[in-house]
Amino acid sequence: MLQRTVEGIVVRSEGKKLELRVITDKIVNIFVTDKEEKRRDTIAIEKKKYDIPDFNVEESKDKVLVLTKDLKVEIDKKTFFITFKDKDGDVINEDYGEGVKLGDSEVRCYKKLREDHFYGFGEKAGYLDKKGEKFEMWNTDEFMTHNQTTKLLYESYPFFIGMNKKHTYGIFLDNSFRSFFNMGEESEEYYYFGAYGGQMNYYFIYGNDIKEVVENYTYLTGRIELPPLWALGNQQSRYSYTPQEKVLEVAKTFREKDIPCDVIYLDIDYMEGYRVFTWNKDTFKNYKEMLKNLKSMGFKVVTIVDPGVKRDYEYFVYREGIENDYFVKDKYGITYVGKVWPGEACFPDFLQDKVRKWWGEKIANFVRDGIDGIWNDMNEPAVFETPTKTMPEDNIHILDGEKISHREAHNVYANYMALATKEGLLKERTNERPFILTRAAFAGIQRYAAMWTGDNRSLYEHLLMMMPMLMNVGLSGQPFAGADVGGFEGDCSEELFIRWIEAAVFTPFLRVHSAIGTKDQEPWSFGKRAEDIARKFIKIRYELLPYIYDLFYEASKKGYPVMRPLVFEYQEDENTHKIYDEFMLGQNLLIAPVYLPSKDRREVYLPSGIWYDYFTGERYEGGNYYLVEAPIDTIPVFVKEGAIIVKQKPLSYVEEDRIEEKVVEIYRGNRGKYVHYEDDGKTLDYKKGVYNLFEIEFEYFDGEIDIKFDKVHFGYEDGAKKYRFVLKNFDEVKKVKINGEEVEEYEIVVK
């Protein structure tokens, strides 16, 4: 039986129901069930009203055809076998065998394997291309050394991108139960995905290329809001900086040694017996004065806040939680108790509105003394002394007034905690951008928090692993991500630290972090050579902050990753499809880190076009492999022809000085185009139009360069007043025009 709805169709056959919703011309939602139930969206889907496009429905004896401007979706009315075709009728993706299989304990969907490559899947170890591999998604506090055989890590993104020579698409399985993906590991004929519980509810996301698939996927799951600019600066952490005198010593040393740094983190030892929202009375007895001193030096402070609340009736957070019934229950309805850092602890049920409001109030009160951001750790949620490393799967949560098991809540627990934290920060500082860092996550986390990749090791293998992992996280909708520089566990060597900091300054999130009992990991801890090189590259990052901030603006509008695999920009070049040890910072900079010891050169592939060495200006023909020199104080960085890069003077910290002048570097090419964004970097006023948007273009012909600098939007009066143009790698320039006028000095004053 076929039923037409406002959003799509409903087909019923032999006790099963298929619901198809047209979200856009290129996004279709498929929900298949054998129960009398409604589709349940997870927190991953951003709640908004879709502008449903026009679509047509055609019915024959055996099939139903749903047609949008870009897709033809063919459904067998009896078997629910689905074929997705492009507007020309060519198959993009189709079911295999029995298609959707529904069972009591799991749901799964088989697809014919037509793809050459698979990308995405969020935080997974291994290489960039995931074809031929299998995974599960179940947030896990995995402390053992991560490698390609590590199947479970801290975050779950049940989303992937499939690509072959003709088509590119994405599939997002909107199911928060433990999910699984077999991408051709079992068979060369098919792949499948599913979950151990929940619904078969997935979104088919078509795009002309990977860029459009990511843009369409983040239309569903939301995009990052602009972060505070200081969060893009250098950040220093350790488990743990204690007592408060040590914190101040580290801060002062950064300033004395002229190494830029914006943030210092406080790990669990700042607390009283690991009780969240408290301060240790002995080691941080004058914490308010410490926070003031740090602020006077230009430092922001981010404190760790775990979900586990110590079981102690004298402790106000526990007492309030018990008295108001805020904690997760076991299957018998008794408050669940598990062991974490404070010993026996209870866990807030963040899925409940009232619990998030309560936690948000705790956050608001806690940060009032001068804390600038919150670091959510142990939020898988991790539980000690259990074989599963988490709470029992039959524990009970309340979501929208209904009881659900921890099997369903587990993977989204961190997102709800991040939401509570964000709401708390906004409650206290209504017009200030919140900063939250999370270890665990589910799809859609980009709306609430930045992420880091958890407890890595001081190994060259983990420096390498950082690249494909962060690139796939970016392709999965989260542009604000990084790894612990130098490795968290183990003693980092001088050379490894140098090579890691050289690479990490070009990643979205830059933080050095190390574990208790390991060697110090501040830039000066490895001797003068490492200190000088770290200073040099951290200053390069601060010079590039306008360019990096522009990439975050682009991410907020289109969902594009800040750190990108080469295939994202050069999909037509098959040589880029499997490259995992180089990456793009935006569309203009190509980074090729050295990730092996005792190496002073490495092979680099440059895609088609002309490329210039960022440091020497040497010219390279693209479409070729090169053996590039990379002595210890250098990392291979290349700029593509026609690139425009906006820079500023390096500061000790973001708010040290007002930026009156910016430099616009124009790299030789026939033409180039760039959009530069500017606002105060702190408040939410940009949402009210208080920002500047400039479009910069140039054309170069026969020794003459014509530059256009257009104000697309001008609502922020305190931006840079002067833009100075620097022409890079041009052999001969006879004449320069800016906005149609010939100039001797290559600059423009903004009024």
Side-chain angles (χ1 to χ4, degrees), residues 501-529:
I501 197 76
E502 287 174 347
V505 296
F506 298 103
T507 64
F509 177 67
L510 173 63
R511 184 183 75 153
V512 177
H513 186 44
S514 55
I516 193 169
T518 63
K519 287 169 55 177
D520 288 348
Q521 214 155 282
E522 296 77 34
W524 54 85
S525 302
F526 301 93
K528 187 176 187 305
R529 183 173 76 158

Side-chain angles (χ1 to χ4, degrees), residues 21-78:
R21 294 188 303 141
V22 176
I23 308 299
T24 72
D25 286 316
K26 294 186 176 181
I27 304 175
V28 173
N29 176 221
I30 302 293
F31 168 50
V32 182
T33 183
D34 57 2
K35 302 178 179 69
E36 286 300 319
E37 61 179 351
K38 293 182 178 180
R39 185 196 77 256
R40 296 194 305 275
D41 293 335
T42 71
I43 191 175
I45 300 297
E46 187 176 38
K47 300 294 188 289
K48 58 187 174 187
K49 187 176 181 180
Y50 301 119
D51 186 11
I52 306 299
D54 293 333
F55 62 92
N56 294 316
V57 178
E58 298 177 2
E59 183 180 10
S60 64
K61 179 182 177 182
D62 300 320
K63 298 184 186 300
V64 180
L65 192 63
V66 178
L67 300 99
T68 74
K69 184 165 66 72
D70 296 290
L71 287 174
K72 296 179 179 180
V73 187
E74 185 180 276
I75 302 166
D76 186 294
K77 290 197 292 187
K78 183 177 181 181

Side-chain angles (χ1 to χ4, degrees), residues 22-284:
V22 176
I23 308 299
T24 72
D25 286 316
K26 294 186 176 181
I27 304 175
V28 173
N29 176 221
I30 302 293
F31 168 50
V32 182
T33 183
D34 57 2
K35 302 178 179 69
E36 286 300 319
E37 61 179 351
K38 293 182 178 180
R39 185 196 77 256
R40 296 194 305 275
D41 293 335
T42 71
I43 191 175
I45 300 297
E46 187 176 38
K47 300 294 188 289
K48 58 187 174 187
K49 187 176 181 180
Y50 301 119
D51 186 11
I52 306 299
D54 293 333
F55 62 92
N56 294 316
V57 178
E58 298 177 2
E59 183 180 10
S60 64
K61 179 182 177 182
D62 300 320
K63 298 184 186 300
V64 180
L65 192 63
V66 178
L67 300 99
T68 74
K69 184 165 66 72
D70 296 290
L71 287 174
K72 296 179 179 180
V73 187
E74 185 180 276
I75 302 166
D76 186 294
K77 290 197 292 187
K78 183 177 181 181
T79 65
F80 291 171
F81 190 97
I82 302 176
T83 303
F84 296 95
K85 300 178 180 179
D86 63 22
K87 61 185 178 183
D88 297 322
D90 293 328
V91 175
I92 307 166
N93 176 272
E94 62 184 316
D95 287 355
Y96 178 90
E98 57 189 310
V100 171
K101 183 178 179 181
L102 304 172
D104 294 334
S105 60
E106 69 173 55
V107 294
R108 65 171 63 194
C109 180
Y110 289 88
K111 296 286 187 179
K112 186 173 182 179
L113 186 55
R114 317 168 59 90
E115 294 69 25
D116 297 321
H117 308 283
F118 289 111
Y119 307 107
F121 299 103
E123 186 192 24
K124 292 297 178 188
Y127 301 103
L128 183 72
D129 185 359
K130 301 301 186 184
K131 185 177 180 181
E133 298 190 36
K134 63 178 180 180
F135 312 99
E136 290 194 355
M137 302 283 178
W138 183 253
N139 293 354
T140 301
D141 177 13
E142 182 53 79
F143 189 70
M144 298 298 289
T145 302
H146 309 155
N147 56 47
Q148 192 167 2
T149 65
T150 306
K151 296 305 179 187
L152 297 176
L153 283 169
Y154 310 92
E155 305 194 345
S156 296
Y157 299 79
F159 167 75
F160 63 87
I161 298 168
M163 185 184 90
N164 59 27
K165 289 181 174 63
K166 188 161 187 178
H167 295 114
T168 310
Y169 70 90
I171 286 180
F172 172 55
L173 176 62
D174 191 27
N175 182 321
S176 62
F177 286 75
R178 186 176 185 136
S179 55
F180 50 84
F181 298 80
N182 191 301
M183 311 311 293
E185 181 270 345
E186 182 175 291
S187 169
E188 295 181 354
E189 295 292 321
Y190 60 84
Y191 71 89
Y192 62 84
F193 57 88
Y196 298 110
Q199 300 178 331
M200 179 47 64
N201 176 27
Y202 73 88
Y203 292 81
F204 182 82
I205 304 162
Y206 184 47
N208 293 327
D209 51 24
I210 292 179
K211 285 187 175 183
E212 190 178 14
V213 170
V214 172
E215 184 173 0
N216 290 339
Y217 167 64
T218 56
Y219 172 75
L220 281 175
T221 59
R223 294 169 185 146
I224 188 174
E225 293 186 348
L226 285 172
L229 192 54
W230 57 260
L232 307 188
N234 182 33
Q235 309 188 32
Q236 185 70 37
S237 182
R238 182 168 176 83
Y239 167 35
S240 287
Y241 286 132
T242 184
Q244 64 186 43
E245 290 78 13
K246 179 63 176 179
V247 180
L248 292 170
E249 176 193 326
V250 171
K252 289 174 183 175
T253 307
F254 269 103
R255 297 295 179 247
E256 290 168 357
K257 290 184 174 292
D258 188 30
I259 301 173
C261 187
D262 264 272
V263 188
I264 286 185
Y265 283 70
L266 299 181
D267 211 319
I268 56 176
D269 290 305
Y270 78 87
M271 293 182 254
E272 185 70 39
Y274 306 131
R275 294 168 176 84
V276 291
F277 306 122
T278 68
W279 290 88
N280 189 299
K281 297 182 183 66
D282 296 321
T283 53
F284 287 85

Side-chain angles (χ1 to χ4, degrees), residues 522-567:
E522 296 77 34
W524 54 85
S525 302
F526 301 93
K528 187 176 187 305
R529 183 173 76 158
E531 178 185 324
D532 290 345
I533 294 171
R535 180 186 299 107
K536 168 187 169 182
F537 278 92
I538 293 170
K539 286 192 173 187
I540 287 172
R541 181 182 180 90
Y542 277 70
E543 287 178 345
L544 286 170
L545 278 180
Y547 176 75
I548 295 171
Y549 195 48
D550 286 339
L551 296 177
F552 276 86
Y553 169 74
E554 184 179 54
S556 74
K557 293 299 182 183
K558 294 185 175 182
Y560 288 0
V562 172
M563 176 181 176
R564 307 168 181 179
L566 272 62
V567 66

Side-chain angles (χ1 to χ4, degrees), residues 615-643:
F615 300 109
T616 68
E618 185 176 351
R619 182 180 184 274
Y620 291 84
E621 291 275 353
N624 292 297
Y625 292 88
Y626 293 93
L627 189 62
V628 177
E629 296 294 320
I632 189 65
D633 62 347
T634 300
I635 178 175
V637 177
F638 300 89
V639 191
K640 75 174 187 179
E641 63 178 335

Side-chain angles (χ1 to χ4, degrees), residues 292-446:
K292 287 180 183 177
N293 287 337
L294 289 169
K295 204 157 294 295
S296 70
M297 288 187 277
F299 282 94
K300 306 295 183 184
V301 176
V302 175
T303 54
I304 198 167
V305 175
D306 293 345
V309 175
K310 185 174 178 62
R311 192 183 187 192
D312 172 8
Y313 202 74
E314 299 300 313
Y315 169 39
F316 70 102
V317 181
Y318 173 77
R319 187 170 62 251
E320 291 175 18
I322 285 292
E323 291 176 353
N324 292 283
D325 203 24
Y326 289 152
F327 295 128
V328 175
K329 302 290 194 297
D330 67 15
K331 63 181 179 181
Y332 302 109
I334 300 169
T335 297
Y336 170 73
V337 178
K339 287 187 177 180
V340 278
W341 293 116
E344 289 189 340
C346 299
F347 298 80
D349 185 7
F350 293 113
L351 280 68
Q352 298 187 52
D353 291 341
K354 67 176 184 179
V355 177
R356 291 197 302 276
K357 182 179 179 182
W358 167 67
W359 194 262
E361 290 169 351
K362 292 286 164 282
I363 292 286
N365 292 333
F366 185 58
V367 302
R368 199 163 288 154
D369 291 322
I371 294 166
D372 300 282
I374 297 295
W375 170 19
N376 287 344
D377 196 10
M378 301 290 288
N379 52 340
E380 290 73 28
V383 179
F384 297 160
E385 300 178 15
T386 64
T388 63
K389 303 178 182 179
T390 190
M391 62 179 65
E393 293 184 12
D394 57 7
N395 273 6
I396 301 300
H397 300 257
I398 306 295
L399 178 62
D400 297 330
E402 295 184 8
K403 291 182 179 180
I404 67 169
S405 72
H406 189 68
R407 291 173 63 222
E408 183 174 357
H410 177 86
N411 279 341
V412 294
Y413 186 83
N415 282 37
Y416 282 104
M417 183 180 182
L419 172 59
T421 305
K422 180 179 179 180
E423 290 173 343
L425 290 171
L426 288 171
K427 179 181 177 67
E428 173 62 19
R429 299 162 186 160
T430 56
N431 195 37
E432 190 172 310
R433 302 177 199 181
F435 175 74
I436 301 152
L437 180 67
T438 184
R439 185 171 76 176
F442 190 68
I445 189 63
Q446 64 271 8

